[in-house]
Amino acid sequence: MAESGSTSYDGFLSYSHAADDLLAPRLQAGLQRFAKPWWRRRALRVFRDEASLSANPHLWSSITDALDDSDWFVLLLSPEAAESEWVNREISYWVEHKDPGRILPVVTDGTFGWSDGDVAGDAVPESLQGVFGEEPRWVDLRFARTETQLDLRHTRFRDAVADIAAAIRGVPKDELESEEIHQHRRTVRTAWTAGVAILALGVAATVGAIVAYNSQQEAEESAVLAQDERDRAVAAEQDATKERDRANLLADQEVAARAEAEQQRTLAEEQAEIAEANADLARSRELAAASQASLQTDPELSILLALEAVSTATASDRPPILETVTALRHGVASSRIVDRIGGSWFVDYSPDGALLVT
């Protein structure tokens, strides 16, 4: 068993925070205090992520280091743990690098059992399937839900802690329970002896010593709880950072979507303009063709149609200049009401003197 300050752990506690956030620290405390000699800080050194990890950005490597330095893998099983990515990763790493026989299942919720040569139930993670060659010994803590039930003074909880501690320490449970009684009695005897000795020095000194002892115990427990709070704060900050990153990603996606929509709108407008120009072009050609068709029967109408063809084609990037000008010239040349003035430049007038074509 590792002393405080050592680099190894007697046990690694793997669990789902969603299911066993209350039970896990109580079980860790129970294992560390059960059958503890009065002169030692703890009976066992048990790794639990929130209590043992500092604010380390290399989280998985810190966990694998703790797994490598642990003698036993205490696995708290529940339906939430079965679905937990972290729990499955920790199991897989242990099975790959350590002895699967040193996995100690502790069922805290759901169903768990042995069927057809393998573990079964909704509390069984996928990575635990096929790990055991025979039915493993396991501890049932499904009854423990309240603060009262998670105290070493509670008979069933104390018995479950004894089962786990006996497996980790490699001693029979009855011997460990005897050791617990012995240590308790020894602690009591030591306290009485110290009390008598202190009483000889004065009641005031006795009271001071008892208060100091109790204060030390409370300080240690307060330190553990304070560390838990700091670890929860770090986890909350990490969650907040993930939420901010997710919000920034959504904002970037929204900006990209708006830009795409603007691009699509601009493209649609360009296509509409092209369609309108093509329509004008087609209309101009129709008018030019109609002008040519009416040249013989109605020259004046032919001129008007040709002029309308020119006017309609001005909005197009590719107006049918040849067709419209040809229709206009033929119409003017064939008109019976137009006098032609020769020369490089010409002006055709109607008999009433109004300007028609330049």
Side-chain angles (χ1 to χ4, degrees):
M1 292 175 290
E3 296 289 344
S4 177
S6 175
T7 58
S8 61
Y9 299 94
D10 297 292
F12 180 99
L13 201 59
S14 177
Y15 66 102
S16 165
H17 289 260
D20 296 316
D21 199 41
L22 175 63
L23 187 149
R26 297 301 183 273
L27 179 59
Q28 179 191 30
L31 290 172
Q32 292 176 160
R33 293 173 58 187
F34 190 81
K36 178 182 77 68
W38 65 271
W39 45 269
R40 293 179 58 180
R41 184 178 180 182
R42 56 175 69 93
L44 294 172
R45 189 166 184 233
V46 179
F47 177 90
R48 182 173 62 86
D49 54 4
E50 288 192 351
S52 304
L53 284 179
S54 59
N56 190 339
H58 306 292
L59 180 60
W60 177 242
S61 61
S62 298
I63 290 177
T64 56
D65 288 343
L67 286 166
D68 291 335
D69 290 339
S70 297
D71 292 331
W72 283 82
F73 188 80
V74 183
L75 176 59
L76 304 191
L77 294 174
S78 65
E80 291 82 0
E83 298 297 327
S84 170
E85 177 185 354
W86 283 101
V87 171
N88 277 276
R89 288 181 69 183
E90 290 165 357
I91 296 171
S92 297
Y93 186 89
W94 183 275
V95 171
E96 182 179 355
H97 298 89
K98 307 280 283 187
D99 181 8
R102 284 183 171 261
I103 297 177
L104 184 57
V106 179
V107 183
T108 65
D109 195 12
T111 58
F112 180 87
W114 182 260
S115 177
D116 296 329
D118 202 357
V119 289
D122 61 5
V124 178
E126 182 179 354
S127 56
L128 198 63
Q129 297 287 343
V131 170
F132 300 110
E134 58 182 1
E135 183 175 2
R137 55 181 177 180
W138 58 281
V139 179
D140 191 350
L141 270 179
R142 286 175 288 191
F143 69 89
R145 289 290 182 268
T146 65
E147 293 280 355
T148 303
Q149 294 170 328
L150 293 171
D151 192 291
L152 283 177
R153 289 171 293 186
H154 190 278
T155 303
R156 292 185 65 187
F157 183 72
R158 185 183 186 87
D159 186 65
V161 170
D163 281 334
I164 300 171
I168 294 177
R169 297 175 68 170
V171 298
K173 179 181 176 182
D174 55 351
E175 290 185 15
L176 188 62
E177 290 175 333
S178 298
E179 178 67 15
E180 164 69 5
I181 295 172
H182 173 72
Q183 291 296 341
H184 178 71
R185 290 175 177 174
R186 183 174 181 179
T187 300
V188 172
R189 286 197 305 269
T190 302
W192 274 105
T193 302
V196 170
I198 293 173
L199 184 61
L201 298 175
V203 174
T206 303
V207 173
I210 294 174
V211 170
Y213 177 78
N214 291 336
S215 297
Q216 180 182 359
Q217 295 296 317
E218 292 176 358
E220 291 181 358
E221 293 179 358
S222 297
V224 172
L225 294 176
Q227 183 62 43
D228 287 345
E229 291 299 326
R230 287 193 292 270
D231 293 337
R232 289 192 182 94
V234 171
E237 178 61 24
Q238 291 174 346
D239 291 340
T241 300
K242 291 179 181 178
E243 290 300 324
R244 287 195 296 270
D245 292 343
R246 187 178 295 110
N248 291 336
L249 177 59
L250 292 176
D252 292 342
Q253 291 175 344
E254 182 178 357
V255 170
R258 289 178 178 175
E260 177 67 17
E262 181 64 22
Q263 183 178 4
Q264 293 297 328
R265 185 184 67 79
T266 302
L267 180 60
E269 290 178 353
E270 292 176 353
Q271 291 176 344
E273 291 176 357
I274 293 173
E276 183 178 356
N278 288 336
D280 290 342
L281 179 61
R283 177 61 178 163
S284 177
R285 286 175 174 164
E286 290 178 1
L287 291 171
S291 174
Q292 292 281 8
S294 61
L295 183 62
Q296 300 299 325
T297 59
D298 194 342
E300 288 76 10
L301 177 60
S302 175
I303 293 172
L304 295 175
L305 290 172
L307 289 173
E308 182 65 18
V310 173
S311 175
T312 303
T314 56
S316 173
D317 292 335
R318 304 184 306 279
I321 298 300
L322 179 60
E323 297 95 321
T324 55
V325 171
T326 300
L328 184 60
R329 291 180 61 191
H330 288 173
V332 171
S334 302
S335 175
R336 296 187 297 275
I337 63 173
V338 177
D339 295 326
R340 182 184 180 95
I341 300 176
S344 299
W345 292 85
F346 66 87
V347 180
D348 289 344
Y349 292 92
S350 63
D352 60 4
L355 178 65
L356 180 61
V357 178
T358 64

